[in-house]
Amino acid sequence: SPTDGSSANDSSLSDLPKPLRPQVYPQRWIQLGYLSTLALLSDWVCFSTASIPDVFEEAYPGKTSEGLIDKFLFMNVVSCLMVTDMVAKFGLQRCTKASSLLMSVGCWLRSGLGIVPVIFELLGIRDDHASLLETKVFGTPLFGLPPYPIIVAGTLMVGMAQPFFQCTPPLLSAQWFASNERATSSAVALNFNQVGIAAAFVVGGLMADGYDGLVRYFALIAIASTIVSIGTFVHFDDLPPVPPSASEMGKMQNSLGHKEPPFHVSVRNFFNTPGFVRPLAAFIWSIAITNVVGAFIEEVMERGGVTGRRAIAWAGCGFEFAIVLGGVILGRYVDRTKEYKSVTLYCITISLILILPLGLTDHYIGKEPVLLIISLFFLGFFVGPVQPINAELAVDVTFPGDETAVESVQQFGGNFCSALLVPAAGRAAKLDYQLLPNVPLLASDIRGDVIFMMALAIVTFCFYRSFDAPLRRSMADGD
């Protein structure tokens, strides 16, 4: 009968497999949490002695904190050239776990056996084993800080691991987060390293007040890295069961049997893609400004009347946290609107105003510490988010290109240009220009580094404003 036939057809249709729909999982927040924390720890190691150079140089006569940071950054740049091909070959999960272990081992090399006196002290038996703890090998305390070459080896290991946390956030966002979450998740992961720099300022300044304090400080970092590495091995997953967006689903279906090209081929393809270079320029500008301000934070604060070591440390901490906060708030707005270009241009324009108080002193008013600190905070809030927003924009215009390769190019460009621009800003900071000296009410002076940073902002704004390229990934998502 007709009724029986209709029923049979309905039954057969219900048995057909339904097409997969994009889906997100709570696990994505765990993935983001671990990658962000690993980035935090890696930059904490990098800048661990930046706020205590005198203590470090006392422990290692003839060596400088700046020299150790330079070695870290050099290894970081080298590793940026390898991370794309490694992740393409072994996957994000394996590379993240291996890199977390590498970082943990590096931290323990930097700490040496200095953890032993700390444990004895916590157990209340340090005095009972005083003679053992004073043992020396070739004139170096066995249970103190390791020899300088070991410190360097550990630092290089962490420097090698760091790009696996800093170049992969766009890939993690694409694999785990919905299309209206990606800029926010990338902002958290890309900028969370700033919290590590803040920890270096505050924790280093408070703990490492001498040799014994430096021993405990390095041991704390090693313990923290070990805990996070163990958690990464236990909790960090591979791909989700179902992709989180239409673009990622389409990319995965089209890439069956397809292998991502080598990094150098991807780089050539990116530079031939309309719209790639301008997000790269904005990313480089942002990382250069944050690095210049971070590198000379003490001098900048002293210009404005903030001279206490602890006050400077907290000001630097506020600057770094503002970067993270701005990334989350502006990243969420960009996720909803896809207004990459307009948000970036507004951020660059606002930065021009906020940079001025860092080096402009009105002789009539004098130093204004409150204005300086407020400007510093909002400068971080508006400059920092430019990095993750333009990382996502570059991935959008190069879709379906390799997300890790995109971010590797940006990180390499940002760190390489910073290595050139930070010393240039340092030289410019020694120049002081008088403005309107014959008008007492308006007479002021401005430092060369502020002029330098403002010039970078103007050049970047003029270059970036001509951005005009299709957002390929957003179109694939239907956004």
Side-chain angles (χ1 to χ4, degrees):
S1 68
T3 305
D4 293 337
S6 173
S7 204
N9 287 338
D10 289 345
S11 175
S12 63
L13 286 172
S14 65
D15 292 338
L16 291 173
K18 295 180 179 180
L20 288 177
R21 299 187 64 182
Q23 191 171 340
V24 293
Y25 299 86
Q27 173 67 22
R28 69 193 188 280
W29 302 111
I30 296 175
Q31 302 285 105
L32 179 63
Y34 275 108
L35 197 66
S36 301
T37 306
L38 289 166
L40 180 159
L41 287 168
S42 65
D43 250 9
W44 187 0
V45 171
C46 177
F47 295 96
S48 57
T49 58
S51 65
I52 49 166
D54 51 338
V55 176
F56 181 80
E57 288 160 25
E58 241 178 71
Y60 295 98
K63 308 300 180 183
T64 66
S65 168
E66 183 182 347
L68 194 64
I69 294 172
D70 285 343
K71 291 177 176 63
F72 181 102
L73 295 176
F74 172 78
M75 182 54 71
N76 175 287
V77 170
V78 172
S79 185
C80 278
L81 301 177
M82 302 186 295
V83 62
T84 299
D85 293 337
M86 295 286 284
V87 171
K89 183 174 182 180
F90 298 107
L92 180 60
Q93 182 191 40
R94 289 181 181 176
C95 287
T96 303
K97 290 181 176 181
S99 299
S100 73
L101 178 61
L102 180 66
M103 180 170 70
S104 183
V105 172
C107 288
W108 280 111
L109 284 178
R110 286 166 51 93
S111 175
L113 296 177
I115 187 67
V116 175
V118 176
I119 294 173
F120 281 14
E121 187 175 342
L122 291 174
L123 296 175
I125 58 174
R126 179 165 182 161
D127 292 340
D128 300 335
H129 298 83
S131 58
L132 173 65
L133 297 178
E134 290 173 2
T135 304
K136 291 187 177 182
V137 177
F138 301 114
T140 302
L142 179 62
F143 297 102
L145 293 171
Y148 183 73
I150 303 298
I151 285 273
V152 170
T155 301
L156 292 178
M157 290 173 74
V158 182
M160 178 174 287
Q162 188 182 60
F164 289 89
F165 318 134
Q166 288 194 333
C167 294
T168 53
L171 176 63
L172 180 80
S173 296
Q175 291 180 344
W176 283 90
F177 286 84
S179 62
N180 63 350
E181 299 175 326
R182 288 189 297 238
T184 305
S185 62
S186 290
V188 172
L190 281 172
N191 284 337
F192 217 68
N193 66 305
Q194 306 296 334
V195 181
I197 301 175
F201 275 117
V202 177
V203 181
L206 294 176
M207 282 189 70
D209 53 356
Y211 183 88
D212 288 341
L214 189 61
V215 170
R216 289 191 291 269
Y217 178 47
F218 279 6
L220 172 66
I221 296 175
I223 292 169
S225 69
T226 301
I227 293 171
V228 175
S229 179
I230 292 170
T232 302
F233 271 84
V234 174
H235 298 128
F236 200 85
D237 277 353
D238 200 4
L239 296 171
V242 178
S245 63
S247 59
E248 187 65 13
M249 188 172 288
K251 182 177 178 180
M252 291 186 68
Q253 290 171 349
N254 294 333
S255 65
L256 293 175
H258 168 74
K259 189 177 180 181
E260 290 287 0
F263 178 61
H264 69 276
V265 175
S266 293
V267 172
R268 186 167 61 247
N269 293 339
F270 293 156
F271 278 96
N272 289 329
T273 301
F276 175 75
V277 176
R278 281 162 180 77
L280 175 62
F283 187 98
I284 290 173
W285 169 79
S286 173
I287 202 170
I289 296 297
T290 54
N291 284 345
V292 167
V293 174
F296 302 108
I297 188 74
E298 185 172 355
E299 183 177 341
V300 168
M301 290 292 100
E302 288 177 351
R303 285 180 204 165
V306 181
T307 55
R309 183 170 181 175
R310 183 167 295 186
I312 292 171
W314 281 110
C317 180
F319 175 70
E320 305 299 344
F321 271 102
I323 291 174
V324 179
L325 181 64
V328 172
I329 293 175
L330 296 182
R332 289 185 66 180
Y333 175 77
V334 170
D335 272 329
R336 293 196 307 270
T337 64
K338 305 302 177 187
E339 293 287 344
Y340 298 101
K341 179 180 178 179
S342 62
V343 171
T344 299
L345 290 175
Y346 277 124
C347 286
I348 297 173
T349 303
I350 293 171
S351 76
L352 277 169
I353 302 169
L354 296 171
I355 287 171
L356 266 175
L358 304 189
L360 177 67
T361 303
D362 188 300
H363 297 166
Y364 183 79
I365 298 174
K367 296 179 179 180
E368 287 292 331
V370 175
L371 175 62
L372 175 65
I373 291 173
I374 292 173
S375 297
L376 184 70
F377 180 86
F378 281 104
L379 182 66
F381 184 92
F382 286 105
V383 171
V386 172
Q387 292 176 50
I389 288 171
N390 282 276
E392 285 298 308
L393 176 57
V395 170
D396 211 324
V397 299
T398 57
F399 181 81
D402 188 329
E403 296 89 352
T404 306
V406 170
E407 187 55 23
S408 296
V409 173
Q410 292 191 328
Q411 289 286 347
F412 178 87
N415 290 326
F416 180 78
C417 290
S418 289
L420 302 176
L421 296 175
V422 169
R427 288 192 292 272
K430 298 175 183 177
L431 304 174
D432 194 6
Y433 298 95
Q434 299 296 318
L435 302 177
L436 303 174
N438 299 322
V439 184
L441 193 62
L442 300 176
S444 55
D445 64 90
I446 187 169
R447 293 296 183 97
D449 55 337
V450 168
I451 297 174
F452 179 75
M453 287 189 284
M454 292 179 70
L456 285 178
I458 293 170
V459 170
T460 304
F461 180 92
C462 294
F463 181 66
Y464 189 88
R465 67 193 300 267
S466 61
F467 171 83
D468 183 20
L471 304 182
R472 301 178 189 278
R473 185 170 65 171
S474 295
M475 289 190 293
D477 286 323
D479 294 340

